[in-house]
Amino acid sequence: MILLSRSEPLMVIVATLLTQFRTWLWVKSAIISGIKKDSELAQLCSISNPNRIYYLRQEVANTSINALAKAVTMVLDLEMSIKRGAESKDLLLIILSVSRLFKLT
């Protein structure tokens, strides 16, 4: 973990992960609900650049909404643990657990 070795604060790492997983979850949810237009999807998901939707669609195409929801929950739990004093090893364990959710079979 390069960020940990550079002494990046754990909360910054977790906030970045949480933002990304939430974005993916919103995009996947909107796609499942039937929103087709990139501009509508971008507006609903609070994405300022509608052209980014093309790439986000590809990123979530083969991902289940359940895995994304579970990942968001796990990262939120990690955030609470860090606020209570957890250490970087907890971050590594959660990252490994989250990565197992998206394991390609």
Side-chain angles (χ1 to χ4, degrees), residues 73-86:
T73 302
M74 292 171 78
V75 176
L76 282 170
D77 288 345
L78 175 62
E79 180 181 35
M80 292 305 296
S81 296
I82 290 170
K83 288 179 178 179
R84 290 184 186 128

Side-chain angles (χ1 to χ4, degrees), residues 56-87:
L56 289 168
R57 282 183 189 272
Q58 290 180 336
E59 290 170 4
V60 301
N62 296 320
T63 304
S64 80
I65 194 161
N66 292 334
L68 288 169
K70 180 102 170 133
V72 168
T73 302
M74 292 171 78
V75 176
L76 282 170
D77 288 345
L78 175 62
E79 180 181 35
M80 292 305 296
S81 296
I82 290 170
K83 288 179 178 179
R84 290 184 186 128
E87 299 190 14

Side-chain angles (χ1 to χ4, degrees), residues 21-35 41 44-45 60 63-66 68-69 72:
F21 280 111
R22 279 184 174 159
T23 300
W24 284 331
L25 181 59
W26 273 98
V27 169
K28 187 68 172 188
S29 297
I31 291 169
I32 288 172
S33 70
I35 295 177
L41 194 63
L44 179 67
C45 298
V60 301
T63 304
S64 80
I65 194 161
N66 292 334
L68 288 169
V72 168

Side-chain angles (χ1 to χ4, degrees), residues 36-105:
K36 303 281 186 212
K37 291 185 179 181
D38 287 353
S39 59
E40 290 178 27
L41 194 63
Q43 185 177 12
L44 179 67
C45 298
S46 301
I47 297 170
S48 57
N49 181 1
N51 295 325
R52 184 172 173 223
I53 295 298
Y54 170 81
Y55 298 102
L56 289 168
R57 282 183 189 272
Q58 290 180 336
E59 290 170 4
V60 301
N62 296 320
T63 304
S64 80
I65 194 161
N66 292 334
L68 288 169
K70 180 102 170 133
V72 168
T73 302
M74 292 171 78
V75 176
L76 282 170
D77 288 345
L78 175 62
E79 180 181 35
M80 292 305 296
S81 296
I82 290 170
K83 288 179 178 179
R84 290 184 186 128
E87 299 190 14
S88 60
K89 66 179 178 165
D90 297 319
L91 174 66
L92 296 174
L93 291 173
I94 294 297
I95 289 174
L96 287 173
S97 298
V98 169
S99 67
R100 286 187 199 124
L101 293 172
F102 302 99
K103 181 181 173 185
L104 297 175
T105 55

